[in-house]
Amino acid sequence: MRLSQRVGRISISSTGAVFAAAAQLKAQGVDVVDLSAGEPDFPTPSHVKRAAFEAIRNDFTRYTPTDGIPELKEAIVRRHARDFQSDYATREVLVTVGGKHAIFNLTSALLQPGDEVVIPVPYWVTFKEAVHYAGAVCRFVPTSESDNFRVTAAQIEPAVSPRTRLILLNSPNNPSGAIIREEEMRKIAELARRRDLLVLTDECYCHFNYEGSTPFSLASLGKDYRDHVAVVGSVSKTYAMTGWRVGFCLGPEPLIRAMLKIQSHCTSNANSIAQKAAVAALSGPQDSIPDMLREYGRRRSFIVEKLNAIAGISCNRPDGAFYVYPNLRGLLDSRRLKNPSDLALQLLNEARVAVVPGEGFGTRDHIRISYATSMEQLEKGADRLSRFFGNG
Ligand code: PLP
């Protein structure tokens, strides 16, 4: 079948592909330890579920305004103001079908063929594809593994050209967990203002950092930077609500209106029941977050130690999120494997452990392991890896 050039420019999500392969094996009764999925293994908090039941009971099951119900837009603005000292108005919010949808709306609304987008490496798989789908070009910026992959303004600046329209940041980062330092964030914002660019800051993991302080949000910089910052957020990871599909974008009003235009012909509103649940998540008790973070912290320590005990693997201690991004160059060389994809395939087929190869995130020496899975699964996975690599 002849398909559009546009769709030919992108590939299916590599994280989704591993997830599907692992699910297929599991459906055949194979005991796979799945360390590929980027989603909390915790249940959605009960008060959130109750709000959804209530919405169904009250027949809150019709179309809503495309940009989201007013009480959710208010809850998003209030939560963000409380957590990050921002001061958005509800007209500067768009409720979307997950954070991913917000990114897609934004790149579609902002970019023209030939425009350039600066993206630090490693990056979340969807960034590159959303940019390519819009016909724009990615300018990748390598970060330093010895500095835990934290990008700096000095690394970004040389990649900015007269064609640059957007800088795409994600802190804490998927897959590396890197949290960009506040002083670097400020310098990047200054650069964006000077060069009249937009910075899209993906804050989907903003509540998951292990040193106790909240990562810095560019939205707290105030009015002078207003036209140069857009925030993407989501209830998916923060409240263990990946399946509910609610995210949002906060940004300059003309951009939000343009994104709304696209959304009005695509998905329309996010699910009405899920929107009510998201109101409860953002406005209700927040204690599920520190509980999850404590548990992720325990798992992080465990998996980092286990991986570093395997000869040929070196694993940084991530600043945030719930992934580790170990470097396997030593192992790839000693096993004469061409790339992490070959290794990931071996791990799935022989060790029965699902991980995501680093190519999809822009590097060739790494795999991504998610520790958003039970300690029991993590222990089993670590044992299988150690045995497979001859260290067990
Ligand atoms: N941004 C990043 C960096 C992510 O890792 C993800 C999901 O994995 C998302 C956005 C999108 O999450 P959702 O669409 O579930 O809100």
Side-chain angles (χ1 to χ4, degrees):
M1 178 175 306
R2 208 178 72 196
L3 300 169
S4 74
Q5 277 188 353
R6 204 171 45 248
V7 78
R9 286 198 292 265
I10 65 170
S11 348
I12 194 139
S13 162
S14 53
T15 48
V18 178
F19 187 65
Q24 203 179 359
L25 281 174
K26 282 194 251 179
Q28 291 162 9
V30 179
D31 171 25
V32 175
V33 176
D34 189 354
L35 305 181
S36 72
E39 66 176 344
D41 57 312
F42 299 94
T44 301
S46 345
H47 68 281
V48 176
K49 291 192 276 202
R50 275 199 303 275
F53 289 135
E54 194 63 17
I56 295 174
R57 233 187 325 268
N58 292 336
D59 290 321
F60 194 73
T61 52
R62 299 179 186 274
Y63 290 132
T64 76
T66 303
D67 55 345
I69 53 176
E71 61 180 307
L72 177 53
K73 291 172 48 168
E74 271 153 33
I76 290 167
V77 163
R78 250 185 284 120
R79 179 87 262 144
H80 206 269
R82 195 184 295 177
D83 291 345
F84 299 107
Q85 293 78 53
S86 60
D87 64 343
Y88 284 104
T90 49
R91 63 177 185 282
E92 296 168 301
V93 188
L94 178 65
V95 176
T96 56
V97 185
K100 193 179 260 190
H101 183 213
I103 293 164
F104 220 82
N105 277 342
L106 186 145
T107 47
S108 306
L110 188 79
L111 300 173
Q112 312 238 69
D115 284 347
E116 292 183 3
V117 179
V118 176
I119 304 181
V121 179
Y123 48 80
W124 180 46
V125 291
T126 291
F127 289 166
K128 179 175 106 181
E129 307 297 354
V131 169
H132 285 170
Y133 193 73
V137 177
C138 299
R139 290 284 167 244
F140 295 116
V141 171
T143 57
S144 168
E145 187 161 358
S146 61
D147 190 28
N148 236 0
F149 301 103
R150 302 174 189 115
V151 73
T152 65
Q155 287 165 338
I156 286 188
E157 185 147 15
V160 172
S161 83
R163 283 208 285 268
T164 307
R165 294 283 289 127
L166 179 66
I167 300 172
L168 254 171
L169 301 181
N170 170 216
S171 174
N173 176 275
N174 175 5
S176 71
I179 295 182
I180 304 169
R181 293 186 183 87
E182 176 175 337
E183 76 241 45
E184 296 301 329
M185 278 285 204
R186 288 178 181 274
K187 285 188 209 160
I188 295 167
E190 196 46 55
L191 170 67
R193 197 164 69 132
R194 199 163 12 97
R195 303 291 292 265
D196 194 21
L197 314 171
L198 185 77
V199 183
L200 165 56
T201 169
D202 178 335
E203 297 182 349
C204 286
Y205 297 93
C206 62
H207 292 286
F208 300 125
N209 77 95
Y210 300 102
E211 307 328 319
S213 59
T214 312
F216 181 73
S217 174
L218 287 177
S220 65
L221 288 177
K223 299 246 175 305
D224 290 350
Y225 295 86
R226 198 56 148 218
D227 291 342
H228 303 287
V229 173
V231 172
V232 163
S234 168
V235 296
S236 285
K237 321 282 177 178
T238 313
Y239 303 102
M241 292 178 69
T242 44
W244 299 73
R245 311 308 302 134
V246 178
F248 56 87
C249 182
L250 296 159
E253 203 183 338
L255 176 67
I256 294 292
R257 275 206 306 266
M259 292 165 66
L260 175 62
K261 250 200 290 188
I262 298 170
Q263 184 161 315
S264 74
H265 294 295
C266 182
T267 56
S268 296
N269 58 273
N271 176 295
S272 61
I273 300 151
Q275 287 192 63
K276 285 284 192 185
V279 171
L282 291 158
S283 320
Q286 301 292 301
D287 39 340
S288 58
I289 302 173
D291 288 350
M292 282 196 274
L293 186 60
R294 214 170 304 114
E295 180 56 21
Y296 288 145
R298 201 164 75 87
R299 297 175 192 175
R300 175 185 70 149
S301 301
F302 170 80
I303 193 71
V304 168
E305 193 182 316
K306 284 284 179 190
L307 290 169
N308 280 323
I310 298 175
I313 296 185
S314 107
C315 184
N316 284 359
R317 201 174 161 77
D319 301 330
F322 39 63
Y323 309 103
V324 280
Y325 201 54
N327 186 316
L328 292 91
R329 180 40 54 195
L331 269 178
L332 293 172
D333 288 344
S334 64
R335 298 184 154 244
R336 292 181 209 284
L337 288 166
K338 276 209 295 298
N339 52 47
S341 284
D342 291 351
L343 181 66
L345 205 63
Q346 270 194 359
L347 288 176
L348 185 60
N349 291 332
E350 296 170 38
R352 299 303 191 199
V353 179
V355 300
V356 186
E359 291 99 315
F361 306 104
T363 73
R364 300 188 58 81
D365 295 341
H366 305 83
I367 56 169
R368 189 194 76 177
I369 290 178
S370 164
Y371 49 90
T373 187
S374 70
M375 199 63 189
E376 184 207 339
Q377 282 292 297
L378 207 57
E379 281 170 0
K380 197 161 150 185
D383 278 352
R384 288 186 184 184
L385 291 178
S386 301
R387 244 178 293 124
F388 185 75
F389 292 125
N391 286 67

